[in-house]
């Protein structure tokens, strides 16, 4: 007798980092206490580091946003924040030491909205990366996030002059009514003007972010946004499913979390995802992951998808993560605006940045899970020889039950075996936000469940 398969919700969690920050804990409660950065980095390779600078400010907070950011920066807060960033960079560079060569292979400014800073403040941000950390921004890929309202000519000129190779702009929708429904006040005319200014400064890679699943969005209106974006011939496009998360604008106003569990909304998002994917593939784009699409032949001038999980990441700023091979660390995390403001104020008052505050140690099992996640969730898949070389086993040895489930659901590409790959099928990619969480360890699940939202 056949038994029915349980319904799998396709949109459970966007796995952009593992372990997630909600699984981190205060390190002063760890048996060994807060580790000194110098000790953490002593045995790490430092010849191909990634550098990430986080700016936690936005002009407005979109209704779907649960990023670590606040609205506005009164009372010279950006100056105090950059002062603290400078102190942190000095402490981190000192911790890296000079016993072995220190070199940065990639850099990124994120947020929040880095271009919330003025042109002069952006110059100072670049100076911190170069003069304090030693990153040569003009010789490595540099990716910067922006928004339509802050992509002004003077700011863009600074970024282009300082070596920016990729700029990512959050448009989300070219349909004004959809932007309002997502609690994102903007007009298409302003978006188009910002895109024109970006193209004028000739930064090599333009990425446009779009969102599907907005209330009232149809396949026709989705196609309108896709075609409007394609009109700018962006080198990259990210297609994000809308999530309604606790403590966000949409979570508070009308689009309650119970509605997010609606099967009809899941079906709408899957339908729009497939329509968007097929439309971009038909227009000469290659799929890199569930979310990321790159124009065929376009240069890769920024970090690859999921590259934020790479060991050897140094994050500066109170919303940034840093990764060594054995510890992932950061500062405290919050979504609610009052809590975010408190954390930022605490960061700007900090004088001693020589020790890690909040984090999670990554053991062998977690390293295997992380490697599998960051590889399998990309369209190219995981090279089995790479996995065996690193861990001495194969994914099937370590994750047999999970992989059997994925195969039974049709999420794995059986033809990839002959090429020595573990790769998702098109349906597996479509269900990345269901597949990823199934690979979380019991310990990480427990820590995330215990995290108190704030």
């Amino acid at each position: 007798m056949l038994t029915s398969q349980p319904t799998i919700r396709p949109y459970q969690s966007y796995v952009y980092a593992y372990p997630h920050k909600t699984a981190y804990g205060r390190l002063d409660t760890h048996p060994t206490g807060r580790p000194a950065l110098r000790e953490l980095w002593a045995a790490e390779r430092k010849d191909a580091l990634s550098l990430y600078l986080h700016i936690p400010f936005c002009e407005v907070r979109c209704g779907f946003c649960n990023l670590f950011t606040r609205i506005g920066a009164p009372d010279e807060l950006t100056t105090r924040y950059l002062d603290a960033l400078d102190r942190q960079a000095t402490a981190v560079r000192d911790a890296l030491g000079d016993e072995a060569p220190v070199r940065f292979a990639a850099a990124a400014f994120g947020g929040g909205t880095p271009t919330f800073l003025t042109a002069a403040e952006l110059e100072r941000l670049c100076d911190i990366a170069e003069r304090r950390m030693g990153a040569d921004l003009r010789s490595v890929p540099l990716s910067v996030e922006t928004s339509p309202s802050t992509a002004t000519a003077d700011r863009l000129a600074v970024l282009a002059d300082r070596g920016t190779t990729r700029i990512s702009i959050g448009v989300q929708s070219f349909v004004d009514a959809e932007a309002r429904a997502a609690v994102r006040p903007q007009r298409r005319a302003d978006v188009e003007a910002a895109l024109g200014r970006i193209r004028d400064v000739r930064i090599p890679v333009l990425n446009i972010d779009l969102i599907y699943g907005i209330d009232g969005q149809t396949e026709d209106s989705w196609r309108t946004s896709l075609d409007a974006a394609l009109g700018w011939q962006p080198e990259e496009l990210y297609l994000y499913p809308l999530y309604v998360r606790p403590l966000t604008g949409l979570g508070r106003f009308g689009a309650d979390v119970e509605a997010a569990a609606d099967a009809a909304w899941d079906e709408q998002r899957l339908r729009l995802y497939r329509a968007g994917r097929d439309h971009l593939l038909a227009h000469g784009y290659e799929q890199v992951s569930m979310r990321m699409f790159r124009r065929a032949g376009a240069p890769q001038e920024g970090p690859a998808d999921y590259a934020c999980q790479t060991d050897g990441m140094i994050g500066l700023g109170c919303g940034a993560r840093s990764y060594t091979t054995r510890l992932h660390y950061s500062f405290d995390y919050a979504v609610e605006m009052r809590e975010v403001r408190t954390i930022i104020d605490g960061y700007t008052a900090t004088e001693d940045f020589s020790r890690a505050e909040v984090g999670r140690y990554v053991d062998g099992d977690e390293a295997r899970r992380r490697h599998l996640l960051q590889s399998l969730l990309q369209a190219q898949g995981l090279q089995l020889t790479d996995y065996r070389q690193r861990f001495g086993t194969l994914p099937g040895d370590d994750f047999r039950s999970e992989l059997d489930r994925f195969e039974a659901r049709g999420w794995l590409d059986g033809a990839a075996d002959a090429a020595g790959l573990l790769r998702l099928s098109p349906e597996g990619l479509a269900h990345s936000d269901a597949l990823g969480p199934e690979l979380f360890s019991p310990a990480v699940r427990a820590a995330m469940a215990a995290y108190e939202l704030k």
Side-chain angles (χ1 to χ4, degrees), residues 115-450:
T115 49
F116 178 91
L117 300 178
T118 65
E121 289 170 333
L122 285 171
E123 291 275 17
R124 186 180 179 195
L125 186 70
C126 293
D127 286 344
I128 290 171
E130 292 192 332
R131 297 176 186 175
R132 291 289 185 261
M133 295 303 301
D136 185 352
L137 298 182
R138 292 182 177 87
S139 66
V140 301
L142 171 61
S143 179
V144 182
E145 297 172 6
T146 191
S147 68
S149 61
T150 61
T152 58
D154 58 340
R155 293 174 169 111
L156 293 170
V158 169
L159 295 177
D161 180 65
R162 298 301 292 261
T164 302
T165 56
R166 177 183 181 270
I167 194 152
S168 178
I169 183 168
V171 172
Q172 319 314 352
S173 177
F174 284 84
V175 179
D176 289 353
E178 290 179 3
R180 290 194 298 272
V183 195
R184 183 181 178 86
Q186 67 184 27
R187 296 184 307 124
R188 177 171 176 173
D190 296 331
V191 172
E192 302 275 4
L195 288 166
R197 291 191 293 271
I198 291 171
R199 281 310 199 194
D200 285 344
V201 295
R202 300 184 182 279
I203 290 172
V205 172
L206 165 64
N207 173 72
I208 297 176
D209 289 346
L210 298 176
I211 283 181
Y212 55 91
I214 299 170
D215 187 32
Q217 192 175 45
T218 66
E219 286 192 47
D220 286 343
S221 66
W222 178 225
R223 179 74 63 88
T224 295
S225 283
L226 291 166
D227 285 339
L230 288 171
W232 291 97
Q233 297 185 319
E235 285 70 27
E236 295 175 4
L237 276 160
Y238 271 74
L239 308 185
Y240 287 97
L242 179 66
Y243 276 92
V244 174
R245 299 178 176 95
L247 304 183
T248 63
L250 288 177
R252 289 192 300 268
F253 302 117
D256 43 32
V257 177
E258 290 169 21
D262 185 10
W265 192 35
D266 283 346
E267 191 278 331
Q268 179 210 18
R269 285 180 288 179
L270 266 179
R271 185 177 67 252
L272 294 175
Y273 160 78
R274 291 174 176 135
R277 174 198 63 194
D278 294 348
H279 195 60
L280 295 187
L281 293 178
H283 282 77
Y285 283 75
E286 300 168 345
Q287 187 165 18
V288 178
S289 70
M290 173 187 166
R291 287 165 170 75
M292 182 180 181
F293 295 79
R294 181 180 291 121
R295 200 179 73 210
Q300 183 176 323
E301 292 287 354
D305 202 30
Y306 295 95
C308 65
Q309 297 191 56
T310 305
D311 293 334
M313 166 72 77
I314 291 178
L316 302 178
C318 57
R321 299 172 176 82
S322 296
Y323 301 128
T324 69
T325 51
R326 65 188 184 94
L327 178 70
H328 295 184
Y329 64 94
S330 65
F331 296 91
D332 203 1
Y333 170 73
V335 174
E336 199 275 326
M337 193 60 65
R338 180 172 51 189
E339 297 284 351
V340 171
R341 288 196 295 263
T342 298
I343 293 169
I344 294 173
D345 289 344
Y347 174 81
T348 61
T350 299
E351 295 293 336
D352 182 3
F353 287 100
S354 64
R355 293 180 178 269
E357 288 194 9
V358 175
R360 187 173 187 88
Y361 285 94
V362 180
D363 62 17
D365 174 69
E366 296 293 17
R368 285 173 165 83
R369 291 178 184 276
R370 184 162 167 261
H371 185 98
L372 180 60
L373 275 165
Q374 69 185 41
S375 302
L376 191 57
L377 293 179
Q378 296 181 74
Q380 67 185 17
L382 180 150
Q383 287 280 353
L384 296 178
T385 54
D386 290 348
Y387 188 95
R388 184 191 287 275
Q389 184 176 17
R390 181 174 179 185
F391 300 112
T393 57
L394 290 172
D397 302 326
D398 300 329
F399 303 102
R400 184 72 273 156
S401 61
E402 293 94 334
L403 295 177
D404 284 346
R405 285 201 306 273
F406 300 159
E407 185 175 19
R409 296 169 188 164
W411 289 357
L412 298 182
D413 178 3
D417 292 344
L421 291 170
L422 180 63
R423 186 170 61 201
L424 296 182
S425 65
E427 274 305 285
L429 275 177
H431 287 80
S432 292
D433 287 6
L435 182 151
E438 290 198 32
L439 289 171
F440 292 5
S441 71
V444 164
R445 289 176 185 273
M448 293 175 68

